[in-house]
Amino acid sequence: MRRFLRSGPDPERERLKQELFQFSKTVEHGFPHQPSALGYSPSLRLLAIGTRSGAIKLYGAPGVEFMGLHRENNAVVQIHFLPGQCQLVTLLDDNSLHLWSLKVKVGVSELQEEESFTLRSPPGAAPSATQITVVLPHSSRELLYLGTESGDIFAVQLPALRTLEDRTISSDAVLQRLPEQARHRWVFEMVEALQEHPRDPNQILIGYSRGLVVAWDLQGSRVLCHFLSSQQLENVSWQRDGRLIVSCHSDGSYCQWPVSDDAQQLEPLPSHMPYGPFPCKAITKIFWLTTKKGLPFTIFQGGMPRASYGDRHCISVVHGSQQTAFDFTSRVIDFTVLTEVDPTAAFDDPYALVVLAEEELVVIDLKTAGWPPVQPPYLASLHCSAITCSHHVSNIPLKLWERVIAAGSQQSTHFSTMEWPIDGGTSLAPAPPQRDLLLTGHEDGTVRFWDASGICLRLLYKLSTVMVFLMDTDPNESLHAQGEDEWPPLRKVGSFDPYSDDPRLGIQKIFLCKYSGYLAVAGTAGQVLVLELNDEAAEHTVEQVEADLLQDQEGYRWKGHERLRARLGPVHFEPGFQPFVLVQCQPPAVVTSLALHSEWRLVAFGTSHGFGLFDHQQRRQVFVKCTLHPSDQLALEGPLSRVKSLKKSLRQSFRRMRRSTASTRKRRPAGVPGEVPEASSKAERIGLQNMELAPVQRKIEARSAEDSFTGFVRTLYFADTYLRDSSRHCPSLWAGTNGGTVYAFSLRVPPAERRMDEPVRAEQAKEIQLMHRAPVVGILVLDGHSVPLPEPLEVAHDLSKSPDMQGSHQLLVVSEEQFKVFTLPKVSAKLKLKLTALEGSRVRRVSAAHFGSCRAEDYGEHHLAVLTNLGDVQVVSLPLLKPQVRFSCIRREDVSGIASCVFTKYGQGFYLISPSEFERFSLSTKWLVEPRCLVESAETKNHSHPCSRAGPEKAVGRARNSGNQSDGEERTPGPMMEHALLNDERAMGIGIPGEWQWGTASAMEEQSEREGVCSTQHTLLRARPGALPPPGQAED
C-alpha cells in the first residue's frame, strides 16, 4: 500500500506555480465563421458582425474588439445600434430581441446583455403575425418600431423592451386612411422596409412587400403620402433632405419618387433597370447619396442579368458616368455606406463602402479615383485558401522585420492610402513587448506572414511557390478578366479564393530561421524548397536535386500522385523570399517533418518512407535513410489515393482486442479481498487522510511492428551534443518515427574557411527503439544545466547564453504515450512519465517554452507545453518530468482544432476554432496579448469623470475573457466566454476541403468517441479567473 502514497504538495512550489502559470483564452484572430448580420454606428464608428452561432463581435480602431454570445445558439439576423448611444439591439432567428450595452467599469468597456424580449402573437393568431422582418430604432432613443410579416408595426419601449399597445400601427389602420382608389387592391403583406424621415422624427416610411409605400405621421396617425409600385418591393431609401424616395424591386429596377407637400399620391420618375432589358435578379438594397459636387452616388446590391450573371455576388456603384459592379467570390451578407455623420449637413458625401461577404470583409474607398479597396488591419481572411499548416516565430530581429514589411508593401500597391475608416473607441492595451510572426501554409501553395505581436493579426507578406512549377493555367490570369468596354462592368474584389490549381501544391511544413533569413517550405508532393530573403527582384534558375528515399529497394511501387513538374529555365521572382534550390523526394509523398540549421547550412526532411539531409550551401545531398517496414504498404499508396485495406484494419483491431483481454487476465489480483488485518487497515486509513493518493498506472500496450506507417518520420531535430563519447561534442541529427524508433546521426561539418571545399559527412551513431513503439512526436537535448539547447545563431547574436558543455547532456524523447529522459552519450534511461498510463490521453503537440514570473522580473523556468488528443494543455517540468498544471483548452471532438495547434516559445498558443479563425491562448501569467479598450458616447465623454480613464494597468474588466490579474487582486471565479460553434459539427469542414489539410500525421490521429459538452451560459465579458486547481489536482 505504501507505493500508492506520495507526499503532499509543497506550499512554496504551489505559490510559485501561481506566479508562472495561468490559462486564459485572450483573443480571436481572423474572420468570424458563418457571418449572418452587419451593423454600424456612425456616432461610435463601430462595426458589429453577428454569426449563425449566436455570437456578436464589435470592431473599432485597431485593438478595439468586443465579443458577446447569446444564451441561445440561434443565428443573428439583424443588428442595429441605438442612435448616439453605446447600445445595440440584435434580432435572432427565433424572433427574440436582445439589448446590449457597452458599459465602462474601472476604465475599461465591457459588452453586456441587458434585456431580452420576444414579440408574442395574440391568442388564436398565426405565429407569423408577429414574425419580425424589420427593426427601426427611433432617434428619440425611447422606441423601437418592429415591422412584421402580417403587415403590423409594433412599438417597443426602451430600455425595458415592453410593447406599447397604443402605438401599434396595424395594417387595417393604414388601409382605412388611404384614399378610396387605393383600397380596392389588397396591397398589404409583410413589412419590407421602415425608414425614419431624415429631418422630421415624427414621420416614418413604411414599405410593404407588394409595392405599397406610405409616409406615416406618428403624432397624427395618418397617411401623409403614398405610392404604389407595379413590382414587388425589396427596399426603400430616403434622401437626406427627405424630398426624394428611392425604391428597389424584384425585377432588377429602381424608381425615384419626388415628395411634395401638396400631393398625397406620388408619381414616379421613369423607372431604371441598370442591367436590363433582359430579365434581371432583384435589387435587394439601395442607397441614393448626395455629394457637394452635384452628382449623386447610387449604390445597390444585385440587379445582374439573370441568365448570364445570376450566380455572381455583386454590389454596383454608379456616380455620373462611372459605374462598377464589384464582384465578390462569396455571397454578400449585407453592406453599408459610410457618410457624413452630422444630421444637419446638406450632403451625404459618402467616403467608404463596407461590404460583409460570407468569407471576408471588404472596404472600398469612394473618395479616390478608381475606387480602390482599403487594406484591413484586422478581420483578415485567413482562409482565403484553406490553411494546411502553421509555424510561429518569436522575437523577430528588427532588420528581418523591416525587410519582410518592405517586401509586403510592394505587393500592396493596389490598396488605397485611406486610413482605416472604422476607428471608434480607444485601445488601452500596452504596446507589444516583441515582434512575433505567424506563418500559415495554404492549399494553393502560398505562405502568408502575419504580424502576431498584438491583438490584430495583420498580413505583412505573401509568398507563392507556384512560380517554381509548371501549371496548366497561368497564376497571373484572372478568372474574371474583362476588357474595359465589357458589360456589365465587373471588377473582382477581395482576397478569398478557395480554389487551388493543384492539391499537390499544398504547404505541409514551414521552418524559418529569423537570424539568417533562410526559409524552408515543404509540400504535399514531396517538394522541399529552400529560400533566402532578397530585397530586389531577381531572375534565376532554381536548382533541382532528387532524393530517392527508397534507395532502389525492390518490391515497392508508389501508387500515389505524381511529382510536380518544375520549370527548367530562369524564373522571375519578386522582392522577398526567393527559392534557390528544390529537393524532390521520391516517391513524392507528403513531407511530414522538416528542420533547418542555418549555421551549418543544412536542411533535413522526412516523409512516410524515410528522411534525408541536404547541404544547401554546396547544393548536394548528404544522405538518405529509408525507414520503411516491409508491412508498410499503406505508405506507398499516398494521401490522395484513399486506398486502405478493410481486411487488414479489422485484423489489427481483433489483435488489439485479444492483447487487451490477455493483459486484463494477467492483472487480476489473487486471493480473497478484504483479508487485511485491522491494525494495518486503521494505520492505512490515517495515512490516507494525511497523504495524497498516487494515480494507478495502467499498462501501456506495446504496438505491433506490423502496424501501418511505422516508418513515418514524425520529427527531426538538430543538436550540438555528446553523441559518441563524453569528451567531444559534435553536430548531430535526430529523427523519430511513427514506430517508436529514434535514429541519431553524427555530422562532420567543415569549418567556415573550408565549407565549400569539403563535403558534410554523416554517420549513424545510435538507434533507439521504444518498447511500447508509440509514435515519437518530439526530441529535445538539454545541456549541463538542464536547459534546452539554443537555436542556431542565437548565441552568435548575443541573444542567448552559451549552452553548458561541461556537464552531462540529456536526451528527452516524447512519444504519444510517455516522456523519457536518457543520459548522453550512453543513452541509458534516467526518468520517464507515462502520460497515457496515468490519464489515458495521447500527446499531439509538444514544445519547449520559457515561463517568466509575473512578480520577479529576472526569474523564469523552462518547461514543456503539451497538448493531448483530449484537448487538454499541460505544463511538464524539465528535466524531472513533473506535471505542473493542466487545463481544458480545446473540445476533444474538435480534431481539426487539435491538429492545428502551435505553441510559442513563451507559453502562448494558437489553434483554429473554425476554418477562418485562430483562437489565441496563454499558459503564462507574464505573456498575455488581450484587448483592453474604452468606448464612450459623445454624452458620456462630456460628463465623464477623470477617474473613469484609468490606465490599462488598473483595468479589471476585459474586452475578452482573460486570466490576467494584478498583484494584489484576489483570484475569484467568474464566467468564461467561449466562442460558440454551430451544433452541427459538419459545418467545421465547409472551409477546409479535403481530409489532409494538416498533413499525413493529422490524418492518422484517432478521433475520440467521447462526446464533449460545450456550454456557455454567460454573456457578460469579464476577466477570466486565474485560479489554479486545488492542491493535488494540478498533478493528476
Side-chain angles (χ1 to χ4, degrees), residues 273-276 304-305 309 323-324 482-490:
M273 186 177 289
Y275 299 110
M304 301 301 292
Y309 301 94
Q323 180 167 345
T324 299
Q482 298 194 160
E484 294 183 359
D485 299 331
E486 293 290 332
W487 188 261
L490 294 172

Side-chain angles (χ1 to χ4, degrees), residues 596-667:
L596 175 71
H597 200 292
S598 52
E599 188 174 359
W600 301 338
R601 306 295 175 90
L602 300 175
V603 59
F605 49 89
T607 71
S608 55
H609 306 118
F611 61 95
L613 182 65
F614 183 78
D615 179 358
H616 66 77
Q617 184 168 359
Q618 293 188 8
R619 311 287 204 273
R620 62 178 295 273
Q621 180 178 291
V622 179
F623 76 91
V624 292
K625 169 74 175 177
C626 181
T627 59
L628 207 60
H629 191 272
S631 65
D632 279 353
Q633 290 298 323
L634 281 180
L636 292 170
E637 293 173 351
L640 302 180
S641 63
R642 312 290 188 201
V643 180
K644 187 173 182 179
S645 171
L646 179 62
K647 184 185 296 184
K648 184 174 183 179
S649 178
L650 289 172
R651 184 167 61 247
Q652 292 172 353
S653 299
F654 282 119
R655 285 177 182 172
R656 292 192 190 98
M657 290 171 63
R658 284 198 296 270
R659 287 198 299 266
S660 178
T661 305
S663 62
T664 303
R665 292 198 191 101
K666 293 177 183 178
R667 290 197 298 268

Side-chain angles (χ1 to χ4, degrees), residues 338-561:
L338 309 189
T339 62
E340 173 63 47
V341 179
D342 186 6
T344 62
F347 301 99
D348 295 295
D349 283 329
Y351 57 90
L353 167 65
V354 180
V355 182
L356 175 65
E358 200 166 33
E359 305 294 350
E360 60 187 331
L361 181 82
V362 178
V363 177
I364 305 294
D365 178 6
L366 298 179
K367 287 288 189 182
T368 305
W371 301 330
V374 182
Q375 188 169 18
Y378 46 76
L379 285 173
S381 183
L382 300 177
H383 64 315
C384 45
S385 175
I387 298 176
T388 51
C389 65
S390 56
H391 175 67
H392 187 275
V393 187
S394 301
N395 206 5
I396 302 295
L398 179 61
K399 185 176 181 180
L400 175 65
W401 186 265
E402 292 176 341
R403 294 177 69 189
V404 170
I405 291 179
S409 63
Q410 299 187 46
Q411 300 175 340
S412 305
T413 54
H414 64 287
F415 285 112
S416 168
T417 57
M418 170 190 281
E419 294 290 330
W420 183 245
I422 305 164
D423 55 1
T426 304
S427 176
L428 304 177
Q434 62 185 29
R435 295 171 292 273
D436 291 350
L437 276 178
L438 179 65
L439 281 66
T440 55
H442 296 265
E443 190 183 38
D444 62 353
T446 60
V447 178
R448 285 169 168 82
F449 290 64
W450 305 91
D451 177 5
S453 312
I455 300 163
C456 299
L457 196 66
R458 183 169 58 95
L459 180 64
L460 299 181
Y461 167 71
K462 184 179 80 170
L463 163 70
S464 177
T465 62
V466 180
M467 302 301 296
V468 181
F469 305 101
L470 291 170
M471 293 286 105
D472 295 334
T473 59
D474 187 352
N476 294 322
E477 288 182 0
S478 173
L479 293 176
H480 307 298
Q482 298 194 160
E484 294 183 359
D485 299 331
E486 293 290 332
W487 188 261
L490 294 172
R491 187 206 300 177
K492 184 181 177 184
V493 289
S495 60
F496 179 71
D497 185 7
Y499 306 105
S500 173
D501 295 330
D502 195 323
R504 296 175 296 174
L505 289 169
I507 305 298
Q508 296 296 333
K509 294 293 175 183
I510 305 170
F511 203 107
L512 172 67
C513 176
K514 60 186 178 184
Y515 302 110
S516 64
Y518 283 108
L519 173 69
V521 173
T524 303
Q527 69 270 27
V528 180
L529 285 168
V530 186
L531 309 93
E532 61 181 343
L533 189 57
N534 191 350
D535 299 329
E536 303 293 335
E539 186 171 336
H540 60 262
T541 302
V542 178
E543 192 168 338
Q544 303 175 37
V545 179
E546 188 171 299
D548 183 11
L549 296 177
L550 293 181
Q551 296 176 312
D552 300 325
Q553 295 194 29
E554 297 182 359
Y556 293 100
R557 185 171 62 88
W558 173 246
K559 303 177 185 178
H561 51 263

Side-chain angles (χ1 to χ4, degrees), residues 254-308:
Y254 66 86
C255 296
Q256 302 173 45
W257 306 81
V259 178
S260 60
D261 298 333
D262 53 352
Q264 189 174 12
Q265 181 170 358
L266 306 183
E267 295 297 331
L269 300 176
S271 107
H272 185 53
M273 186 177 289
Y275 299 110
F278 298 106
C280 296
K281 298 196 72 175
I283 295 179
T284 56
K285 189 174 182 179
I286 190 167
F287 283 89
W288 183 275
L289 304 167
T290 59
T291 63
K292 295 178 182 177
K293 297 182 179 179
L295 296 174
F297 272 89
T298 307
I299 304 175
F300 56 89
Q301 177 183 349
M304 301 301 292
R306 188 178 297 273
S308 304

Side-chain angles (χ1 to χ4, degrees), residues 567-580:
R567 296 181 186 269
L568 300 178
V571 181
H572 178 77
F573 296 103
E574 299 295 329
F577 285 94
Q578 300 172 352
F580 59 88

